[in-house]
Amino acid sequence: MAKKRHLIVGSGAAGLSALRQIRSLSAEDEIKVISMENCLPYSPTALPYLLSGKIEEPKLWTADKDYFDQLRADLVLGKRLVAVLPEKKEALFGRGGKENFDTLLIATGSEPLFPVVEGMKEGEVLGFHTLKDYQEILQRMKGKPKAKSVVLIYGGGLVAMGLAQGLIKKGYPAKVIVRSRILRRYFDPEAGALVDKVFSSHGAEMVTGSEIDRVGKKGKKWEVFLSDGSQLSGDLLVNCLGTTPRVSFLEGSGIAVDGGIVVDRSMRTNKEDIYAAGDVAIAKDFFYGKEGGNAILPSAVEQGKIAGSNMAGEVKEYEGWVSMNVFHFFGKGAYSIGLTNGDEGMEVLKDGGKSKGWYKKLTIKEGRLVGAVFVNVDVDPGVMLYLIKNRLEIEKVKEKILEKPGQVSRWLMARNERA
Amino acid sequence: MRGFNDTLAIRRMSCPEGCRACEQACKKRLGVSVIKTVQLPEEGFSSVVVCNQCSEPDCMGVCPTGAISKNGTNGIVTIASEKCVGCGLCALACPYSGIFYDEKQGKSFKCDRCDGEEPRCVKACPYSVLSYVKSRTVIPHFHEGDLLSAGTGLCAGCPLELGARIMLKVLGKNVITFRTPGCQPIFMSRVCSVPTLMTNIASSMTGASRYLRKIGREDVLCVCYVGDGATADVGFQPLSGAAARKEHILYICCDNEAYMNTGIQSSSTTPLGAWTSTTWVGEEVKGKMVEGKYMPLIMLMHDISYVATATVAFLEDYVIKLEKAKKAAMQGTAYIHLHTPCPTGWRAPVESGIELSRMAVETNYFTLWEAEDGRVRFTHHVEKPKPIKDYCGMMGRFSHLKEEELKQLQKVVDRRYALIERLASSEPI
């Protein structure tokens, strides 16, 4: 077979996963990875920990030059994708760059959502999505007295809470402004309240149920006016409202976009030889085969691997994404896996709550586990995910799982593996 | 031998209730335990979970700082602690519970297989639920020259030859073998061999071993490969004496449970109920009326460096034990009790030798264990032991046994097994 030329745009989890997969399947093909940033690949997931001082900047890089050398791939930095021409099999980059490809993977990730609020200007109000954002936050907080400098965080998702934790651990008071309640996407009100309580006890202030109406500056301080009429002031305002797939460069390309890049089970777009994976992709979900985005690292890795296989010519199908996340906060763990809301036709079992300091919840559909939430419970989240993904029959032991989730889930997994 | 990595194996699914020896040993080394016992007695389940060192680890792909890597040479997957941010995504990605999140330190930990040394958990496991499988243990010995000469004077199907061939492959040329009148095939080998009497074998070895040490040839191993009569009956006193003095010898007893070479006369290891030419079956007498002597435990009580049981059905186990015994015999006495079925004397089909040995293990009639410096551990555990009648049914020597007599023999088996199990769970003798 003739040597192929693979182009991977984006050096995040999906891009690197595809790179490893292509190389493991074909020794000869040419692979080029292009990043819009001017630094080695890193994951935004690690940024809050960089902020809290848990790791040093040199330890941040997921891959270095040796890594690309070993995989015999070229890494090109600082080039931003501006257009894709599927018919010509060309990708155009800023400042006149052009690359040809036999297969293309678009793994450009996501960009922060910026709200339309009076007085909020991008650049002045920071985000927390890139290494540059992190460096900017450090720069602006430099020299400010720690205990007295308040950071206002707008949003209550995992990025917001991770940032809040990082700041608190560094000694800065953080105020989290949430439109509804924290971690809404992953945790129900009971689980969220538990997390909220722990954050509050560590000095974070939670302002829930309010939107920001407008912001202004008074001297060096930010003035924030909320929808309930109250007012907050702080030294720094960071927007963490969420992210959206980075797809603006696809306009006019003919590649189907619907919130993100729509792909089939092989992670292929509507155009031959053009694939998408990771935060940017709209792929099928595990339970219903419905299309949607799932901007989390584990999905990016899986999708990158599937895309890589198909790009290298080995047909692989994606089994679909499962919504999930882990959040470790102040010595406690919170896990959310699968369909945790308990929709129609699902049975919900729960135990614990705010007063007990822990929480467990299982959602079951047709005798099989489809979702699980645990806060401050000794359990292995990967094994729970195993039970869900393998669609194990748990009807007879569901109460037992709720009672002793760690032991029972490991037992079910081991029994299934060794059967 | 690329492509073969040593493996931490979980042998069976039932650990003894309440045992956490592996967790404790692991915690002692790392501060946290990266192996976990899972015990659900009500479901009849107790086992452990630990990292499988996957060939394509899912944990590695999701790590946001690239802290997890797989060693290309030994296959071990490790987390570089200084790069770990403690996000816990690896524990979410691993379906096998191989990642352990420590909330106190806020970091993930996993098994690094004791950095290539023999795993602490395996050493600590009293029931050999855990074992360290070195994939190359048996293979290399088969590539060395064969020290056993071609041809055999043994009966058809006799497993003594296999036992001896493997023994010489593992021990090598640098040995002096000792033999007695009997079936053993050592006289057909290409190594130095000394004939002795059945009554003085251990004393002869003592003399040779001491002389070798005196002339500075500690590297030469004195080993015997002799029968149960010479060991448990007529040669017992010299053996007991040599063991008590901790002579530097390796004593291998091939137990075929009677004096086979002279006409199948009963020995003290002949089992309860077995027919021999001196424990016949008639109206009054139904084979041997008393149970057989269990030599391995008697040797254990001599407090010697190494004691093990082995069979020709579990060759890898036998090889590992020979290697350990060889080492131990350089410092003191080592003893291996090798179960060697005798199709002729046991009235069994000639091709059944190895299957007889396997069934002996699977019925717990002959348990596989070893004791290093008095510490007893099983080396093979039978999850669901078969009834003794499955073993007896394979041989003519037990064909006269009725239900009641089989029950008696089952009792002997159960009692002996329980005793070894107790020893395995207790402190060193």
Coordinates of all heavy atoms in Angstrom, one line a residue, chain A residues 118-190:
Chain A
E118 N -23.1 43.4 29.7 CA -22.6 44.8 29.6 C -21.3 45.0 30.4 O -21.3 44.6 31.6 CB -23.7 45.7 30.2 CG -23.5 47.2 29.9 CD -24.5 48.0 30.6 OE1 -25.6 47.6 30.9 OE2 -24.1 49.2 31.0
G119 N -20.3 45.5 29.8 CA -19.1 45.8 30.5 C -18.1 44.6 30.4 O -16.9 44.8 30.8
M120 N -18.5 43.5 30.0 CA -17.5 42.3 29.9 C -16.9 42.3 28.6 O -17.5 42.2 27.6 CB -18.3 41.0 30.1 CG -18.1 40.4 31.5 SD -18.4 38.7 31.4 CE -18.6 38.3 33.1
K121 N -15.6 42.5 28.6 CA -14.8 42.5 27.3 C -13.8 41.4 27.4 O -13.1 41.2 28.4 CB -14.1 43.8 27.1 CG -15.1 44.9 26.6 CD -14.3 46.2 26.3 CE -15.1 47.4 26.6 NZ -14.4 48.5 27.2
E122 N -13.7 40.6 26.3 CA -12.7 39.6 26.2 C -11.4 40.2 26.3 O -11.1 41.2 25.7 CB -12.9 38.8 24.9 CG -13.4 37.4 25.1 CD -13.4 36.5 23.9 OE1 -14.2 36.9 23.0 OE2 -12.7 35.5 23.8
G123 N -10.5 39.6 27.1 CA -9.1 40.2 27.2 C -9.0 40.9 28.6 O -8.1 40.6 29.3
E124 N -10.1 41.6 28.9 CA -10.1 42.3 30.2 C -10.6 41.3 31.3 O -10.0 41.1 32.3 CB -11.0 43.5 30.2 CG -10.3 44.8 29.8 CD -11.2 46.0 30.0 OE1 -11.9 46.1 31.0 OE2 -11.3 46.8 29.0
V125 N -11.7 40.6 30.9 CA -12.2 39.5 31.8 C -11.5 38.3 31.2 O -11.6 38.0 30.0 CB -13.7 39.4 31.7 CG1 -14.2 38.2 32.4 CG2 -14.4 40.7 32.2
L126 N -10.8 37.6 32.1 CA -10.0 36.4 31.7 C -10.9 35.2 31.5 O -12.0 35.1 32.1 CB -8.9 36.1 32.7 CG -7.8 37.2 32.7 CD1 -6.8 36.9 33.8 CD2 -7.1 37.4 31.4
G127 N -10.3 34.2 30.8 CA -10.9 32.9 30.8 C -9.9 32.0 31.6 O -8.9 32.4 32.1
F128 N -10.2 30.7 31.6 CA -9.3 29.8 32.2 C -9.2 28.5 31.4 O -9.8 27.5 31.7 CB -9.6 29.5 33.7 CG -8.6 28.7 34.4 CD1 -7.2 29.2 34.4 CD2 -8.8 27.6 35.1 CE1 -6.2 28.5 35.1 CE2 -7.9 26.9 35.8 CZ -6.6 27.3 35.8
H129 N -8.6 28.6 30.2 CA -8.7 27.5 29.3 C -7.4 27.1 28.7 O -7.1 26.0 28.3 CB -9.7 27.9 28.1 CG -10.1 26.8 27.3 ND1 -10.9 25.8 27.8 CD2 -9.9 26.5 26.0 CE1 -11.1 24.9 26.8 NE2 -10.5 25.3 25.7
T130 N -6.5 28.1 28.7 CA -5.2 27.8 28.1 C -4.1 28.2 29.0 O -4.3 28.9 30.1 CB -5.0 28.7 26.8 OG1 -5.0 30.1 27.2 CG2 -6.0 28.4 25.8
L131 N -2.9 27.8 28.7 CA -1.7 28.1 29.5 C -1.5 29.6 29.6 O -1.1 30.1 30.6 CB -0.5 27.4 28.9 CG 0.8 27.5 29.7 CD1 0.7 26.9 31.1 CD2 2.0 26.9 28.9
K132 N -1.9 30.3 28.5 CA -1.7 31.7 28.5 C -2.7 32.3 29.5 O -2.3 33.3 30.2 CB -2.1 32.2 27.0 CG -1.0 33.1 26.4 CD -1.3 33.5 25.0 CE -1.5 35.0 24.9 NZ -2.0 35.4 23.6
D133 N -3.9 31.8 29.6 CA -4.8 32.3 30.6 C -4.2 32.1 32.0 O -4.3 33.0 32.8 CB -6.1 31.5 30.5 CG -6.9 31.7 29.3 OD1 -6.7 32.8 28.7 OD2 -7.7 30.9 28.9
Y134 N -3.6 31.0 32.2 CA -3.1 30.7 33.5 C -2.0 31.7 33.8 O -1.9 32.3 34.9 CB -2.5 29.3 33.6 CG -1.4 29.1 34.5 CD1 -1.6 28.9 35.9 CD2 0.0 29.0 34.1 CE1 -0.6 28.7 36.8 CE2 1.0 28.9 35.0 CZ 0.7 28.7 36.3 OH 1.8 28.5 37.2
Q135 N -1.1 31.9 32.8 CA 0.0 32.9 33.0 C -0.5 34.3 33.3 O 0.0 35.0 34.1 CB 1.0 32.8 31.8 CG 1.8 31.6 31.8 CD 2.4 31.2 30.5 OE1 1.9 31.7 29.4 NE2 3.4 30.4 30.5
E136 N -1.6 34.6 32.6 CA -2.2 36.0 32.7 C -2.8 36.1 34.1 O -2.6 37.2 34.7 CB -3.3 36.1 31.6 CG -3.9 37.5 31.5 CD -2.8 38.5 31.0 OE1 -1.9 38.1 30.2 OE2 -3.0 39.7 31.4
I137 N -3.4 35.1 34.6 CA -4.0 35.2 36.0 C -2.8 35.4 37.0 O -2.9 36.3 37.9 CB -4.8 33.9 36.3 CG1 -6.0 33.8 35.5 CG2 -5.1 33.8 37.8 CD1 -6.8 32.5 35.7
L138 N -1.8 34.6 36.8 CA -0.6 34.8 37.7 C -0.1 36.2 37.7 O 0.2 36.8 38.7 CB 0.5 33.8 37.3 CG 0.5 32.4 37.8 CD1 1.8 31.8 37.7 CD2 0.0 32.3 39.3
Q139 N 0.1 36.7 36.4 CA 0.6 38.0 36.2 C -0.2 39.1 36.9 O 0.3 40.0 37.6 CB 0.6 38.3 34.7 CG 1.3 39.5 34.2 CD 2.8 39.5 34.6 OE1 3.4 38.5 34.7 NE2 3.3 40.7 34.9
R140 N -1.6 39.0 36.8 CA -2.4 40.0 37.3 C -2.5 39.9 38.8 O -2.9 40.9 39.5 CB -3.8 39.9 36.7 CG -3.8 40.2 35.2 CD -5.1 40.7 34.7 NE -5.1 40.7 33.3 CZ -6.2 40.8 32.5 NH1 -7.4 41.0 33.1 NH2 -6.1 40.8 31.2
M141 N -2.3 38.7 39.4 CA -2.4 38.6 40.8 C -1.1 38.9 41.5 O -1.0 39.0 42.7 CB -2.9 37.1 41.2 CG -4.3 36.8 40.8 SD -5.5 38.0 41.3 CE -5.8 37.5 43.0
K142 N -0.1 39.0 40.7 CA 1.3 39.2 41.2 C 1.3 40.5 42.1 O 0.8 41.5 41.7 CB 2.3 39.4 40.1 CG 3.6 38.8 40.3 CD 4.4 38.9 39.0 CE 5.9 38.5 39.3 NZ 6.7 38.6 38.1
G143 N 1.9 40.4 43.3 CA 2.1 41.5 44.1 C 0.8 41.9 44.9 O 0.9 42.7 45.8
K144 N -0.3 41.2 44.6 CA -1.5 41.6 45.4 C -1.5 40.7 46.7 O -1.2 39.5 46.6 CB -2.8 41.2 44.6 CG -2.9 42.2 43.4 CD -4.3 42.1 42.7 CE -4.3 43.1 41.6 NZ -5.4 43.0 40.7
P145 N -1.9 41.4 47.8 CA -1.9 40.6 49.1 C -2.9 39.5 49.0 O -4.0 39.7 48.6 CB -2.3 41.7 50.1 CG -3.0 42.8 49.3 CD -2.3 42.8 48.0
K146 N -2.4 38.3 49.3 CA -3.2 37.1 49.1 C -4.5 37.1 49.8 O -5.5 36.9 49.1 CB -2.3 35.9 49.6 CG -1.5 35.3 48.5 CD -0.9 34.0 48.9 CE 0.0 33.5 47.7 NZ 0.8 32.3 48.1
A147 N -4.5 37.2 51.1 CA -5.8 37.0 51.8 C -6.8 38.0 51.4 O -8.0 37.8 51.6 CB -5.5 37.0 53.3
K148 N -6.4 39.2 50.9 CA -7.3 40.3 50.7 C -7.8 40.4 49.3 O -8.6 41.2 48.9 CB -6.7 41.6 51.1 CG -6.7 41.8 52.6 CD -6.1 43.1 53.0 CE -5.8 43.2 54.4 NZ -4.8 44.3 54.7
S149 N -7.1 39.6 48.4 CA -7.4 39.8 47.0 C -8.5 38.7 46.5 O -8.2 37.6 46.5 CB -6.2 39.6 46.1 OG -5.2 40.5 46.6
V150 N -9.6 39.2 46.2 CA -10.8 38.4 45.9 C -10.8 38.1 44.4 O -10.7 39.0 43.6 CB -12.1 39.0 46.4 CG1 -13.3 38.1 46.0 CG2 -12.1 39.2 47.9
V151 N -11.0 36.8 44.1 CA -11.1 36.4 42.7 C -12.6 36.0 42.5 O -13.1 35.2 43.2 CB -10.2 35.2 42.3 CG1 -10.4 34.9 40.9 CG2 -8.8 35.6 42.6
L152 N -13.2 36.6 41.5 CA -14.6 36.3 41.2 C -14.6 35.4 40.0 O -14.0 35.6 39.0 CB -15.4 37.6 40.8 CG -15.4 38.7 41.9 CD1 -16.1 39.9 41.3 CD2 -16.2 38.2 43.1
I153 N -15.3 34.2 40.2 CA -15.4 33.2 39.1 C -16.8 33.1 38.7 O -17.7 32.9 39.5 CB -14.9 31.9 39.7 CG1 -13.4 32.0 40.1 CG2 -15.0 30.8 38.6 CD1 -12.9 30.8 41.0
Y154 N -17.0 33.3 37.4 CA -18.4 33.3 36.8 C -18.6 31.9 36.2 O -17.9 31.5 35.2 CB -18.6 34.4 35.8 CG -20.0 34.6 35.4 CD1 -21.1 34.2 36.2 CD2 -20.3 35.1 34.1 CE1 -22.4 34.4 35.9 CE2 -21.7 35.3 33.7 CZ -22.7 34.9 34.6 OH -24.0 35.1 34.2
G155 N -19.4 31.1 36.8 CA -19.7 29.7 36.3 C -19.5 28.7 37.4 O -18.7 29.0 38.4
G156 N -20.1 27.6 37.3 CA -20.0 26.6 38.4 C -19.7 25.2 37.9 O -20.0 24.2 38.5
G157 N -19.1 25.1 36.7 CA -18.7 23.8 36.2 C -17.4 23.3 36.8 O -16.9 23.9 37.7
L158 N -16.9 22.3 36.2 CA -15.7 21.7 36.8 C -14.5 22.6 36.6 O -13.6 22.6 37.5 CB -15.4 20.3 36.1 CG -16.2 19.2 36.6 CD1 -16.1 18.0 35.7 CD2 -15.7 18.8 38.0
V159 N -14.4 23.4 35.5 CA -13.3 24.3 35.3 C -13.3 25.4 36.4 O -12.3 25.7 37.1 CB -13.3 24.9 33.9 CG1 -12.2 26.0 33.8 CG2 -13.1 23.8 32.9
A160 N -14.5 25.9 36.7 CA -14.7 26.9 37.7 C -14.3 26.4 39.1 O -13.6 27.0 39.8 CB -16.2 27.4 37.7
M161 N -14.8 25.2 39.4 CA -14.6 24.6 40.7 C -13.1 24.3 40.9 O -12.5 24.4 41.9 CB -15.5 23.4 41.0 CG -17.0 23.7 40.9 SD -17.4 25.2 41.9 CE -17.4 24.6 43.5
G162 N -12.5 23.8 39.8 CA -11.1 23.5 39.8 C -10.2 24.7 40.0 O -9.3 24.7 40.8
L163 N -10.6 25.8 39.3 CA -10.0 27.1 39.5 C -10.1 27.6 40.9 O -9.2 28.0 41.6 CB -10.5 28.1 38.5 CG -10.0 29.5 38.6 CD1 -8.5 29.6 38.4 CD2 -10.7 30.5 37.7
A164 N -11.4 27.5 41.5 CA -11.6 27.9 42.8 C -10.8 27.2 43.8 O -10.2 27.8 44.7 CB -13.1 27.8 43.2
Q165 N -10.7 25.9 43.6 CA -9.9 25.1 44.5 C -8.4 25.5 44.5 O -7.7 25.6 45.5 CB -10.0 23.6 44.2 CG -9.2 22.7 45.2 CD -9.5 21.2 45.1 OE1 -9.4 20.5 46.0 NE2 -10.0 20.7 43.9
G166 N -7.9 25.6 43.2 CA -6.5 26.0 43.0 C -6.2 27.3 43.7 O -5.2 27.5 44.4
L167 N -7.1 28.3 43.6 CA -6.9 29.6 44.2 C -6.9 29.6 45.7 O -6.1 30.2 46.4 CB -8.0 30.6 43.7 CG -7.8 31.1 42.2 CD1 -9.1 31.8 41.8 CD2 -6.6 32.0 42.1
I168 N -7.9 28.8 46.2 CA -8.0 28.7 47.7 C -6.8 28.0 48.3 O -6.3 28.5 49.3 CB -9.3 27.9 48.1 CG1 -10.6 28.7 47.7 CG2 -9.3 27.5 49.6 CD1 -11.8 27.9 47.7
K169 N -6.3 27.0 47.6 CA -5.1 26.3 48.1 C -3.9 27.3 48.1 O -3.0 27.1 48.8 CB -4.8 25.1 47.3 CG -5.8 24.0 47.7 CD -5.4 22.6 47.1 CE -6.3 21.5 47.7 NZ -6.3 20.3 46.8
K170 N -3.9 28.2 47.1 CA -2.8 29.2 47.0 C -3.0 30.3 48.1 O -2.1 31.1 48.3 CB -2.8 29.8 45.6 CG -1.8 29.1 44.8 CD -0.9 30.1 44.1 CE 0.5 29.5 44.0 NZ 1.2 29.8 42.8
G171 N -4.2 30.4 48.7 CA -4.4 31.4 49.7 C -5.3 32.6 49.3 O -5.5 33.5 50.0
Y172 N -5.9 32.5 48.0 CA -6.7 33.6 47.6 C -8.2 33.3 47.9 O -8.6 32.2 47.6 CB -6.6 33.8 46.1 CG -5.2 34.3 45.6 CD1 -4.4 33.5 44.9 CD2 -4.8 35.6 45.9 CE1 -3.1 33.9 44.5 CE2 -3.6 36.1 45.5 CZ -2.7 35.2 44.8 OH -1.5 35.7 44.4
P173 N -8.9 34.2 48.4 CA -10.4 34.0 48.6 C -11.0 33.9 47.2 O -10.7 34.8 46.4 CB -10.9 35.2 49.4 CG -9.7 35.9 49.8 CD -8.6 35.5 48.9
A174 N -11.9 32.9 47.0 CA -12.6 32.9 45.7 C -14.1 33.0 46.0 O -14.6 32.4 46.9 CB -12.2 31.5 45.1
K175 N -14.8 33.7 45.0 CA -16.2 33.7 45.1 C -16.7 33.2 43.7 O -16.3 33.6 42.7 CB -16.7 35.2 45.2 CG -16.4 35.7 46.6 CD -17.0 37.1 46.8 CE -16.6 37.6 48.2 NZ -17.1 38.9 48.5
V176 N -17.6 32.2 43.9 CA -18.1 31.5 42.7 C -19.5 32.0 42.4 O -20.4 31.9 43.3 CB -18.1 30.0 42.9 CG1 -18.6 29.3 41.6 CG2 -16.7 29.5 43.2
I177 N -19.7 32.6 41.2 CA -21.1 33.1 40.9 C -21.7 32.1 39.9 O -21.2 31.9 38.8 CB -21.0 34.5 40.2 CG1 -20.2 35.5 41.1 CG2 -22.4 35.0 39.9 CD1 -19.6 36.6 40.4
V178 N -22.8 31.5 40.3 CA -23.4 30.4 39.5 C -24.8 30.8 39.2 O -25.6 31.3 40.0 CB -23.4 29.1 40.2 CG1 -23.6 28.0 39.3 CG2 -22.2 28.9 41.1
R179 N -25.2 30.6 37.9 CA -26.6 31.0 37.5 C -27.6 30.1 38.2 O -28.6 30.5 38.6 CB -26.7 30.9 36.0 CG -25.9 32.0 35.3 CD -25.9 31.9 33.8 NE -25.2 30.7 33.4 CZ -25.0 30.4 32.1 NH1 -25.5 31.2 31.2 NH2 -24.4 29.3 31.8
S180 N -27.3 28.8 38.3 CA -28.3 27.9 39.0 C -27.6 27.3 40.2 O -27.7 27.8 41.3 CB -28.8 26.8 38.1 OG -27.7 26.1 37.5
R181 N -26.9 26.2 40.0 CA -26.1 25.6 41.1 C -24.8 25.0 40.6 O -24.7 24.8 39.4 CB -27.0 24.6 41.8 CG -27.5 23.5 40.9 CD -28.4 22.5 41.6 NE -28.9 21.6 40.6 CZ -28.2 20.5 40.2 NH1 -27.0 20.3 40.7 NH2 -28.6 19.7 39.3
I182 N -23.9 24.7 41.5 CA -22.6 24.2 41.0 C -22.7 22.8 40.4 O -23.5 22.0 40.8 CB -21.5 24.3 42.1 CG1 -21.9 23.4 43.3 CG2 -21.3 25.7 42.5 CD1 -20.7 23.1 44.2
L183 N -21.8 22.5 39.5 CA -21.6 21.2 38.9 C -22.9 20.6 38.4 O -23.2 19.4 38.5 CB -20.9 20.2 39.9 CG -19.6 20.7 40.4 CD1 -19.0 19.8 41.5 CD2 -18.5 20.9 39.3
R184 N -23.8 21.4 37.9 CA -25.1 20.9 37.5 C -25.1 19.8 36.4 O -25.9 19.0 36.4 CB -25.9 22.2 36.9 CG -27.3 21.9 36.7 CD -27.9 23.2 36.2 NE -27.1 23.7 35.1 CZ -27.5 24.5 34.1 NH1 -28.8 24.9 34.1 NH2 -26.7 24.9 33.2
R185 N -24.1 19.9 35.5 CA -24.1 19.0 34.4 C -23.9 17.5 34.9 O -24.3 16.6 34.4 CB -23.0 19.4 33.5 CG -23.0 18.5 32.3 CD -21.9 18.8 31.3 NE -21.9 17.7 30.3 CZ -21.9 17.9 29.0 NH1 -21.8 19.1 28.5 NH2 -21.9 16.8 28.2
Y186 N -23.1 17.4 36.0 CA -22.7 16.0 36.4 C -23.4 15.6 37.7 O -23.6 14.4 38.0 CB -21.2 16.0 36.6 CG -20.5 16.1 35.3 CD1 -19.8 17.3 35.0 CD2 -20.5 15.0 34.4 CE1 -19.1 17.4 33.8 CE2 -19.8 15.2 33.2 CZ -19.1 16.3 32.9 OH -18.5 16.4 31.7
F187 N -23.8 16.5 38.6 CA -24.3 16.1 39.9 C -25.7 16.7 40.1 O -26.0 17.9 39.8 CB -23.3 16.6 41.0 CG -22.0 15.9 40.8 CD1 -20.9 16.6 40.3 CD2 -21.8 14.6 41.2 CE1 -19.7 15.9 40.1 CE2 -20.6 13.9 41.1 CZ -19.5 14.6 40.5
D188 N -26.5 15.9 40.8 CA -27.9 16.3 41.1 C -27.8 17.3 42.3 O -26.7 17.5 42.9 CB -28.8 15.1 41.4 CG -28.3 14.3 42.6 OD1 -27.4 14.7 43.3 OD2 -28.8 13.2 42.8
P189 N -28.9 18.0 42.7 CA -28.8 19.0 43.8 C -28.2 18.4 45.1 O -27.5 19.1 45.8 CB -30.3 19.4 44.0 CG -30.9 19.1 42.7 CD -30.2 17.9 42.1
E190 N -28.6 17.1 45.4 CA -28.1 16.6 46.7 C -26.5 16.4 46.7 O -25.8 16.8 47.6 CB -28.7 15.2 46.9 CG -30.1 15.3 47.5 CD -30.9 14.1 47.1 OE1 -31.2 14.0 45.9 OE2 -31.3 13.3 48.0

